Amino acid sequence: MSSSVVITASFLYLGLLFAIAHYVDSRSSIKNVLSRNPYIYTLSIAVFCTSWTYYGSVGRAATSGLDFLPIYLGPTLVFVLWSFVWIKIIRICKQNRITSIADFIASRYGKRSALGGLVTIIAVVGTMPYISLQLKSIATSFRILITYSGGGTIPEIPIEPIFFLDTTLIVAIALALFAILFGTRHIDASEHHEGLVAAIAFESVVKLVAFLCVGVFVTYGIFDGFADIFQRASVNPELRTLFTVSDDADYSLWITMTILSMAAIICLPRQFYITAVENPDEDYLRKAAWLFPAYLLVINIFVLPIALGGRLAFSSAPADADMFVLTVPLYYDKGIISLIAFLGGLSAATSMVIVAAIALATMVCNDLVMPLLLRWRWVNVTKNADLTGLLLSIRRASILLILILGYGYYRFASESYSLVTIGLVSFAAAAQFAPVIIGGIFWRNATFSGALVGLSLGTLAWLYTLLLPSLAQSGWLPISFIEEGPFGISWLKPYTLFGLDGFDRLTHAMIWSMFLNIGAYWVISLLSHQSTIERIQSRLFVDVFKLTEKSGDSSYWKGTVTVGELQALVGRFVGVGRVDEAFREFADDRMLNLRKSQVVDPALLEYAERLLAGSIGSATSRVLIGSIVKGDIVSLDEVYKILDETSQVIEYSHQLEQKSAELEEATQQLQLANARLKELDSLKDDFLSMVSHELRTPLTSLRAFGEILSDNPQVSVEDRTRFLGIIINESERLTRLIDQLLDLAKMEAGRMDWSLEDVDLSATIEEAVFALNGLIKEKGIDLHMEVEEDLPAIQADRDQLIQVIINLISNAIKFCNQNQGEIILKAGHQDGEVWVSVQDNGLGVPAPLKEKIFERFHQSVSPIGHKPQGSGLGLAICRQIVTYLGGRIWAENSNEGGAIFTFTLPIERAEILAETGD
């Protein structure tokens, strides 16, 4: 067939796709049957059926019989029996503005960019074989179609030069440009690309119709129906074996392929993107639960007849079974049917490449490039006024790079494998995401450390047992790597690792990768602890259905930022106009009047974070929001836990009182013990009295102003705003007090979760000072720092050490000279210890109080004669932290009249631990 005809038809088809996408996008603002439609959504999910389905299934059926079925049995089981998994994932994505599978996993495990970056790298590497499969099918089918001369000869695949007029390279570049036009017109990756979905749905119809057309031609045009073709094949003993599952009744490969395909329908980046991110309505999935399996059934009806027809037609000479869909019509000189078959294969390949490239480019931009740019200070990303152009450029460059990498794998490795084998390599890579996704939405105690280690080990096993052997068979690694093992170590042979023999290569790889992945994920999660943000995110994911039925925020930030600052930050990445509109909608929905200088509330912070996540991912958005809020988050679960522990303390108090009454008639020795118990009981009562007093004060304010607002609806807007501000401030004060009480109680009881690591003291001091910089400037205080260079690292809990320094500086701010405040912070080391001192220019500490100030709830009188703000727990917490770390803390007065608070910590933490028995 003329190459000009094939090329013209191809570009007309691609042009039709773009026209469909453009038409649907142009009408997205109004209700459009081509965009908001459960049938369109279901057809878009059929992007799962790539050239592997179109060409490769026939090739596998022609060589292995019914072994092609598990690839479609797995997705059918997921949609028919376990569609609730997809429903839960979709609900989570909508609530958190998830943009990709990397964003989903990173968000679940504490919004950690490191995990998102790892998932992105695995996804890119694992998808390269799959993209090369599509490029291989397009290039091969194109070369066959334009070089076949007819006359009933068996079509052959012509050899193509590597770079000169390389059809595959041209196809890769063309698809990259097409994917750029489809998927990078919007900056918000969480917004629905309705034109893209409609075009992909159209391609699903095209490949289905084309495949059925070939199937009908082979079954009823060449042969006389199904009965005839099967009867002729049954006469041949070799073809008769294709009607059975396996000659030796070994179903391990079937089980492996079914499990991998079940994981792939969820974990392939393109499937996650099109099914979850692009889902316009959760109810659409309920219809897709039976429509999608029906699509898979219909497209596979003629797989075996085409395979048998090709084997019968080409029985006299070998032929490439993967190309039977195209070569059988060519063999019988049916040019029109061959062209239709080619366009069907083109649609199957392009739909996969376009969606995969868009999904991967979003992940590369949000989870790899942006976190790196934010860490590189010389780039000054956060200082630029508008970064939307940069984000789009990164995504477009990523699409081009991804297609070039797919082409590289095609040249290096894919020529040695069939289409199905290449696809299974990618399936096994995508399956590594299954434990962290399924575990993440059902197991609340799964941790970031468990996910990171499990995912890393599973991927390394996949790399060693599947990907590297493919390079060895292609000649890029020594073949001895497979036959003898690296360095001749036989028990390291990738296909029989550690002596595990008797399985096919795919099953062997899945056993090792899943064993290491799931095992490490489970064990490390049990041994490690979740951070506060991990606990919050685990609750948001695991209990998403419960939480979405309730109103209110699940977390809030400690710290302050104005509406203007927040709006400027988000506008750099989302677009100024988009942010202005979004903030207006937020204010209108809640009947608020947002001012630039107004301090934002937790609800607006959460809203801004989700808005930002749609453009740069949840992990990066968390970092950016944190960079201006200067605080940490506190989970409501922590508050509930505190209240629960308080009730236990009260109950224990009642038990002690009962025991004291029973001991009154005991012996003298028991009387002494009873006296001691009474003393402890008195201390306990004092403690509870002080706690009650400190809790009652903010609670009284909360109730008083709450009753005013409730009983007086006519209160003016100005007074209402002022009263709400007081309520918020008192709530924050109550939260800080409860948080401090919990930390102090845990430290004294020895139940504090310490995270000891090598800590850079200089950097820790700088971070603590930075956190208080706003307060220092507000008070007009001069802060001088004299920190020695090259301070040695120490073993400490970094977060707790920052808390010590913040508490000491905050204390100095309260008691320094109110007119000309001055604070001097020094740090150095000597005699195996590091020391830090904080000096103010206030009135100093009276000699009798130098020890008492470190007791709980003690509050000295400020220089102006008033009791300072605070709970009186700061210095007590400092002493507990420093003591646990093996150091000392004390107060003294300087010669100039101010107070100096100093603490020391040992440089060799290991020696201290040995002495204390920790």
Side-chain angles (χ1 to χ4, degrees):
M1 185 175 293
S2 170
S3 60
S4 60
V5 173
V6 179
I7 293 174
T8 300
S10 301
F11 278 98
L12 286 175
Y13 172 73
L14 294 177
L16 177 61
L17 287 183
F18 186 80
I20 293 173
H22 179 71
Y23 173 78
V24 174
D25 275 341
S26 65
R27 297 173 60 86
S28 60
S29 59
I30 60 177
K31 188 173 182 179
N32 190 349
V33 71
L34 292 179
S35 57
R36 299 281 178 171
N37 187 304
Y39 301 99
I40 297 296
Y41 171 69
T42 302
L43 287 171
S44 69
I45 298 176
V47 71
F48 179 80
C49 298
T50 65
S51 59
W52 175 356
T53 297
Y54 196 83
Y55 293 117
S57 292
V58 173
R60 190 169 187 86
T63 56
S64 304
L66 300 177
D67 282 354
F68 73 94
L69 287 178
I71 301 302
Y72 311 99
L73 179 61
T76 300
L77 290 175
V78 170
F79 271 81
V80 173
L81 301 180
W82 297 299
S83 59
F84 64 88
V85 174
W86 263 128
I87 293 175
K88 190 168 188 178
I89 290 174
I90 290 172
R91 179 75 63 88
I92 292 170
C93 289
K94 290 184 180 297
Q95 292 297 316
N96 296 273
R97 291 179 69 87
I98 300 295
T99 60
S100 65
I101 191 170
D103 195 19
F104 185 92
I105 295 174
S107 181
R108 163 58 181 86
Y109 297 96
K111 299 190 176 182
R112 305 287 285 273
S113 58
L115 187 57
L118 176 62
V119 172
T120 300
I121 294 173
I122 296 171
V124 171
V125 174
T127 307
M128 287 306 100
Y130 217 149
I131 292 178
S132 75
L133 185 156
Q134 315 307 316
L135 299 179
K136 179 179 180 179
S137 68
I138 295 175
T140 302
S141 60
F142 176 78
R143 298 202 306 267
I144 292 175
L145 195 60
I146 66 174
T147 58
Y148 182 64
S149 57
T153 59
I154 297 177
E156 297 180 354
I157 302 177
I159 299 176
E160 182 183 37
I162 294 188
F163 291 107
F164 182 70
L165 294 179
D166 190 336
T167 306
T168 312
L169 180 60
I170 295 173
V171 169
I173 295 174
L175 291 181
L177 296 176
F178 205 68
I180 289 172
L181 292 175
F182 264 105
T184 58
R185 289 182 289 172
H186 307 291
I187 188 60
D188 190 344
S190 67
E191 290 185 347
H192 299 302
H193 298 76
E194 296 177 344
L196 169 67
V197 173
I200 299 302
F202 175 75
E203 292 205 282
S204 295
V205 174
V206 170
K207 62 192 174 191
L208 177 62
V209 171
F211 194 84
L212 293 178
C213 180
V214 175
V216 170
F217 165 72
V218 173
T219 306
Y220 295 99
I222 302 175
F223 300 95
D224 192 18
F226 287 93
D228 180 43
I229 195 171
F230 285 124
Q231 190 276 331
R232 296 193 188 193
S234 64
V235 176
N236 187 324
E238 185 179 352
L239 296 183
R240 190 164 53 244
T241 61
L242 302 181
F243 300 160
T244 60
V245 174
S246 178
D247 290 336
D248 56 3
D250 181 8
Y251 297 99
S252 62
L253 183 59
W254 265 60
I255 296 173
T256 298
M257 293 174 65
T258 301
I259 294 174
L260 288 181
S261 60
M262 290 176 68
I265 195 63
I266 296 175
C267 302
L268 284 172
R270 72 174 190 276
Q271 290 302 141
F272 187 94
Y273 176 81
I274 205 72
T275 309
V277 178
E278 290 292 348
N279 174 272
D281 191 323
E282 190 177 295
D283 290 336
Y284 287 5
L285 191 74
R286 293 177 171 86
K287 190 174 289 293
W290 63 269
L291 276 177
F292 179 61
Y295 182 96
L296 296 180
L297 174 64
V298 173
I299 202 171
N300 280 285
I301 288 177
F302 290 104
V303 169
L304 196 56
I306 296 174
L308 294 174
R311 289 289 299 271
L312 292 170
F314 305 135
S315 59
S316 61
D320 185 1
D322 281 341
M323 289 290 115
F324 278 179
V325 174
L326 182 65
T327 55
V328 170
L330 281 176
Y331 179 74
Y332 290 97
D333 291 329
K334 300 297 181 180
I336 298 298
I337 295 179
S338 299
L339 182 60
I340 293 173
F342 170 77
L343 292 178
L346 180 66
S347 68
T350 54
S351 60
M352 179 273 164
V353 172
I354 291 171
V355 178
I358 292 171
L360 292 177
T362 301
M363 294 162 63
V364 170
C365 175
N366 294 354
D367 298 282
L368 273 184
V369 179
M370 285 308 301
L372 291 176
L373 292 180
L374 291 176
R375 288 189 177 96
W376 292 343
R377 297 182 179 179
W378 57 272
V379 178
N380 287 329
V381 170
T382 57
K383 301 300 181 183
N384 295 328
D386 190 349
L387 293 171
T388 55
L390 174 63
L391 293 175
L392 288 176
S393 298
I394 293 173
R395 290 177 186 171
R396 289 164 181 166
S398 299
I399 289 175
L400 184 60
L401 178 61
I402 287 166
L403 267 295
I404 296 300
L405 289 176
Y407 168 79
Y409 184 88
Y410 163 76
R411 277 299 176 194
F412 292 155
S414 66
E415 292 291 359
S416 303
Y417 292 92
S418 68
L419 297 181
V420 170
T421 304
I422 296 172
L424 289 173
V425 172
S426 287
F427 269 28
Q432 303 308 312
F433 301 140
V436 295
I437 291 178
I438 302 302
I441 64 176
F442 291 109
W443 185 28
R444 184 180 291 188
N445 295 327
T447 67
F448 162 77
S449 299
L452 185 67
V453 176
L455 194 54
S456 300
L457 292 180
T459 303
L460 288 176
W462 165 82
L463 185 74
Y464 188 81
T465 56
L466 275 185
L467 189 62
L468 292 183
S470 72
L471 297 178
Q473 291 195 351
S474 302
W476 294 95
L477 288 177
I479 195 65
S480 60
F481 173 76
I482 297 176
E483 297 175 348
E484 303 172 8
F487 309 107
I489 304 174
S490 61
W491 51 272
L492 289 181
K493 290 192 291 186
Y495 290 148
T496 56
L497 187 61
F498 298 120
L500 183 62
D501 202 354
F503 294 99
D504 62 90
R505 298 171 181 178
L506 187 65
T507 302
H508 172 268
M510 190 194 74
I511 289 174
W512 276 117
S513 62
M514 287 295 105
F515 172 75
L516 293 174
N517 191 331
I518 298 174
Y521 175 65
W522 178 58
V523 173
I524 299 298
S525 292
L526 292 178
L527 296 178
S528 57
H529 299 283
Q530 292 179 325
S531 64
T532 303
I533 180 61
E534 284 183 70
R535 287 193 294 272
I536 291 174
Q537 291 302 109
S538 67
R539 184 167 179 259
L540 290 177
F541 276 55
V542 176
D543 299 330
V544 63
F545 293 118
K546 296 179 182 177
L547 295 176
T548 49
E549 295 172 358
K550 302 176 182 178
S551 59
D553 297 318
S554 60
S555 64
Y556 59 88
W557 290 86
K558 293 189 296 185
T560 56
V561 62
T562 65
V563 172
E565 292 171 334
L566 185 63
Q567 193 168 357
L569 174 69
V570 180
R572 296 188 188 108
F573 297 88
V574 180
V576 176
R578 172 76 178 91
V579 173
D580 287 343
E581 180 183 354
F583 274 46
R584 281 197 301 271
E585 291 177 357
F586 177 88
D588 293 342
D589 290 343
R590 291 162 177 79
M591 295 182 290
L592 299 175
N593 181 20
L594 295 179
R595 302 183 305 275
K596 295 288 186 180
S597 59
Q598 177 181 343
V599 175
V600 302
D601 62 2
L604 182 55
L605 275 174
E606 294 283 344
Y607 178 78
E609 184 181 346
R610 290 195 299 271
L611 186 65
L612 199 57
S615 295
I616 59 176
S618 60
T620 307
S621 67
R622 191 71 180 183
V623 174
L624 285 173
I625 295 293
S627 69
I628 62 171
V629 174
K630 304 180 184 66
D632 198 3
I633 54 171
V634 176
S635 168
L636 292 180
D637 287 341
E638 294 291 326
V639 178
Y640 300 148
K641 186 176 181 180
I642 295 167
L643 296 177
D644 182 60
E645 291 185 357
T646 303
S647 65
Q648 294 177 14
V649 170
I650 296 174
E651 178 64 25
Y652 181 62
S653 169
H654 293 319
Q655 294 176 6
L656 286 179
E657 292 175 352
Q658 294 173 2
K659 293 295 182 182
S660 298
E662 296 172 0
L663 292 174
E664 289 178 354
E665 299 178 358
T667 61
Q668 182 65 30
Q669 184 176 2
L670 292 177
Q671 288 177 356
L672 293 175
N674 187 45
R676 175 59 179 163
L677 287 175
K678 288 183 177 180
E679 181 181 355
L680 293 175
D681 194 54
S682 177
L683 292 175
K684 176 264 301 178
D685 289 338
D686 292 339
F687 173 74
L688 290 178
S689 177
M690 287 185 289
V691 171
S692 300
H693 174 74
E694 292 295 333
L695 291 174
R696 188 182 298 113
T697 301
L699 286 174
T700 301
S701 297
L702 289 172
R703 179 175 180 178
F705 286 103
E707 289 178 348
I708 292 175
L709 293 175
S710 176
D711 297 337
N712 300 278
Q714 70 280 8
V715 172
S716 65
V717 175
E718 180 179 356
D719 287 339
R720 183 180 296 273
T721 302
R722 182 165 57 88
F723 292 161
L724 289 175
I726 295 173
I727 290 174
I728 292 172
N729 292 334
E730 291 298 319
S731 299
E732 292 175 347
R733 176 185 171 191
L734 182 61
T735 300
R736 287 193 298 271
L737 176 60
I738 294 175
D739 206 22
Q740 290 175 337
L741 280 171
L742 177 61
D743 286 343
L744 189 59
K746 286 182 177 179
M747 292 177 191
E748 293 180 342
R751 294 185 288 105
M752 188 70 177
D753 294 330
W754 299 91
S755 178
L756 298 180
E757 58 182 334
D758 288 331
V759 176
D760 183 345
L761 184 58
S762 299
T764 303
I765 292 174
E766 290 179 0
E767 185 171 346
V769 172
F770 183 77
L772 293 172
N773 192 44
L775 181 60
I776 293 173
K777 290 182 178 179
E778 179 184 344
K779 299 291 186 180
I781 296 172
D782 292 329
L783 175 64
H784 305 282
M785 296 179 60
E786 301 176 11
V787 179
E788 289 183 8
E789 296 183 357
D790 300 324
L791 282 176
I794 58 174
Q795 273 280 312
D797 186 313
R798 186 172 182 273
D799 293 336
Q800 299 297 343
L801 187 56
I802 290 175
Q803 189 63 50
V804 171
I805 299 171
I806 287 177
N807 286 355
L808 294 180
I809 297 175
S810 299
N811 189 71
I813 292 173
K814 294 176 187 177
F815 292 97
C816 68
N817 189 297
Q818 298 300 306
N819 297 321
Q820 295 180 339
E822 182 179 5
I823 298 174
I824 302 174
L825 192 155
K826 299 180 181 180
H829 74 286
Q830 63 179 6
D831 300 332
E833 293 182 327
V834 295
W835 57 268
V836 178
S837 69
V838 179
Q839 176 181 346
D840 60 58
N841 64 342
L843 298 178
V845 181
L849 301 180
K850 288 184 178 180
E851 281 297 323
K852 194 172 183 62
I853 57 176
F854 291 98
E855 296 178 0
R856 294 171 297 186
F857 294 103
H858 177 83
Q859 291 180 291
S860 301
V861 179
S862 68
I864 58 176
H866 296 295
K867 182 180 178 181
Q869 291 184 349
S871 62
L873 294 174
L875 292 178
I877 291 175
C878 289
R879 182 170 63 178
Q880 288 289 337
I881 296 173
V882 171
T883 301
Y884 177 84
L885 297 177
R888 299 176 297 114
I889 185 169
W890 68 90
E892 57 188 353
N893 293 322
S894 67
N895 296 331
E896 292 79 14
I900 304 176
F901 286 82
T902 306
F903 70 89
T904 63
L905 294 175
I907 296 174
E908 295 294 336
R909 173 68 181 168
E911 297 179 3
I912 301 300
L913 289 175
E915 295 174 3
T916 59
D918 281 321

